[in-house]
Each structure stands twice: as structure tokens, then as C-alpha cells.
Amino acid sequence: MNSICFSTSLFGAALLTSLISAPARAAEGDPVAVRVWPGGTVTIESHWGLSVAIKGETKNTEDLSDEKASTIPNADATVTVGESGRYLLSRPANKEEVTWQQVSREETKTDSVSVTPNDIQVSHSGGDAVHVQLDGIDLVVAGPGCTTETLASFQHIDAVIGSDLQRFVVEGSPMPVTVRNWISASSGSPDSVKVADQDHNTVAISSDSTESASEPVVVWWNVSTKPWQMPEEMNKLFAAMEKSCAESQAVFAELTTAQMNFEPANGTHTPRWNVEHMMGRQLLFFSQMYHEADASIPVMDLNPAQMPPDYEFANADWDGAEEARQMQRVSDFSRRFAYLLDGYSVDDKVPGSRWPTLKALLKQMDRHYSEHTSNTEKKFALPGWPKN
């Protein structure tokens, strides 16, 4: 999708509070991927499939070469630290178009702006930082002018992202604000925090985790600006699973809501059950492995009831195209956080997984999509199949 980039300047330093009066809300359990790139760019990707890129005000021209810049993926919207304005990134269910809407101060006062659970809210904070709210999470991308006072102006922060974050820490003093995660592409960390050094650029952030449920654990992330590279054999199996998923999506995307909800007279499952089952199994199996490695990723179980009489639609109003997007969201989730498989081969049993090997899981997911898609296609010839 093409990147949308705005560089307006309508509001000033008063934008130190949240974007819209409605709080950030979450589709339960959705983890967010924060990625740090060359040149100070940060991308934030939601489980719903929306993404925002925040460009930093960097003076290090070595990090801005065409070769390095080309590694940064396109985002649905792009802003730069130092601008001003409030924005809403949205794509409601059953809608293909992603909208990037500038929000005025008057609209926020009258609550005339509708914020749905999967929207991303973006606001500039006096030119010193960018505040991003999504999935119940508050993220602050700190620019060079961001100070302790800037951070203190936010009611809640799940993660601060930027370079040279050590400036917020005075030796022997407590952290300036309660922040669960500090994500920096520069080395070094304060005392009395949990340090996570990693040679790739992605950190998973969620609104809740087992560690944050009682007493928050402060984690200082020293990250690279390079993406994690999946081993060749693992990537081959992932690609086969993704191809099977994409082929299944192509079938379901053509179905109407009525066709998705078709209940065969022979007592077999609706097409919607088949979609939910395929998506739900993959999401559960992969989130179990990822949760074992990082508690910020919850175990996500959206599996429907197995027997037709017990089954209830999760989203009865979604058309086939949206259910196909849900399948793609799980496919993206599985690859997005696959860095948590680092150190394992496809012949290993991964902690948190019931499968004997990672290869066995990937091959079964490949077969699973084709099997249930074939079962659904047989229903098209059954008596009573809706024409539209």
C-alpha cells in the first residue's frame, strides 16, 4: 500500500496530551511490533494490519544512504518528529480502504470523531515527540528535543523509543517516569533495569503481560537497526504455509456475508467456521511458542467450537473479504514475531509447542488450509447455497 505522508503545521506546543478524548482501546490480546530502522525511523505495526512510520530528526547522514533507506518498508502513513498535528489511521471491518484523517481540536472537544478499537491515533507533542496510541498501548517516539518534562506530560507510557535515551537517566537517580520499555538503537543502559540486547530491530509490546500484571518490570532494549534474518530452510517452509493461506484467502474473499453464514442441511459446518478454524489453529499454535519466549505476546485462542450445534459466529457481519484479511493478519503475525524462533532449527521441538518439531507444525498448517478450503468449495453445489 502506498505511503501517505503529511507535513502540515496546524497546532503547536499545546499538544502534550492524548490525541482524542476516547482512550486507546484494544482488540483483546493484540501485540504491537515496534521496529527501529537506519536514520532514526521507527515503524509501528498493529495486529489489525495498520502501520505508521515516524521519521526522526537525525543529523547522521551516514544512516540515510539510499541503500539503508531502501530497507525500510512502506507504511500506511508517515510523519516526522518535529511536525505538529493530530491524526487518525483507520480501516473498519468490511472496508478495503485505509484512511488517514487529520483531526481538529474542535472535533476532539465535541467527541464527534469516531474511534474504533483497531484505529491508530497519532499526535505530535510540541515538536519534541510523537505519541502513538493503538491496541490499548501508548508509545512515545522521542525526538532530540524530548525532555523528562515532555515524558511527564503523558498519563501513561508503555514504551519510549529513540536514540540516546541515556540522557533521561542521571546516575544514581530513579527513572524519570514509570515506563515499562525503553527501546534504543544505541548501546548502554542504566542500573537497576532488566537489559535486553538483541541483534535485530523488532520489539513486541502489548497492553498487558504476565510480568506487568503485578509489579511492572522495566526493560531496557538495546536493538540493532537490521531485521532478523530467517534461516533458509525455515523460510522455505514458512513461504509454503503462506502460499497455501493466500490461495485459501482467494477463495473466501469472493464470498458474501450470506454465503459465509450458509448452514448446510447435511449438518456440516458453515464456510465461516472453516475460516475461523484455520485461522484460529495457526494463531493459537504460533502464539503459544511466542508467548513462551516473550510474555508480551499473549496466548491467543480464537478457535471456534468444534461441533456445528455448539458453534457461534465470531463476526457474523464480516464478509468473505474481511475473513480473508483475518487469515492474512495471522499469517503476518506468524512471520512478524518469528525472530522469537531464533536459535531453533526446523527439526527442533520449540518450547510452548505441542508439535514434535517446527517442521511438523509448518507442514500441517500448509495442508490444513488446502483441506478446509476444499471442504468449503464442495458446499457451493449444495441445495440452498445463496447466490449472493
Side-chain angles (χ1 to χ4, degrees), residues 8 22 30 32 40 49 82 87 101 132-133 136 172 198 239 287 316 334 341 346 352 376:
T8 55
D30 292 352
V32 169
Y87 302 96
Q101 175 186 4
V132 182
Q133 295 174 280
Q198 59 185 38
S287 66
S334 301
L341 299 173
V346 296
T376 299

Side-chain angles (χ1 to χ4, degrees), residues 7-8 13 66 101-102 104 114 120 129 133 176 203 205 216-217 257 266 268 286 292 321 331 338 360:
S7 183
T8 55
D66 291 340
Q101 175 186 4
Q102 186 160 8
S104 71
S114 175
I120 300 181
Q133 295 174 280
V203 177
I205 303 293
V217 174
T257 301
N266 60 13
T268 57
F286 278 82
E292 186 73 17
S331 188

Side-chain angles (χ1 to χ4, degrees), residues 263-324:
E263 297 183 10
N266 60 13
T268 57
H269 286 293
T270 64
R272 193 177 302 279
W273 179 90
N274 283 273
V275 169
E276 291 183 17
H277 174 71
M278 291 186 294
M279 173 278 302
R281 298 306 277 175
Q282 181 174 340
L283 181 62
L284 175 63
F285 293 147
F286 278 82
S287 66
Q288 286 173 330
M289 294 188 296
Y290 296 163
H291 177 75
E292 186 73 17
D294 185 348
S296 293
I297 298 180
V299 174
M300 303 167 72
D301 188 355
L302 299 182
N303 283 293
Q306 183 67 31
M307 303 307 294
D310 303 325
Y311 169 63
E312 296 181 4
F313 300 132
N315 298 283
D317 60 335
W318 281 10
D319 57 23
E322 191 59 49
E323 291 287 7

Side-chain angles (χ1 to χ4, degrees), residues 49 53 71 149 160 188 238 245 281 290 347 367 375 388:
T71 65
E149 288 72 25
V160 174
F238 258 81
C245 179
R281 298 306 277 175
Y290 296 163
D347 296 316
R367 291 190 296 267
N375 289 341
N388 51 50

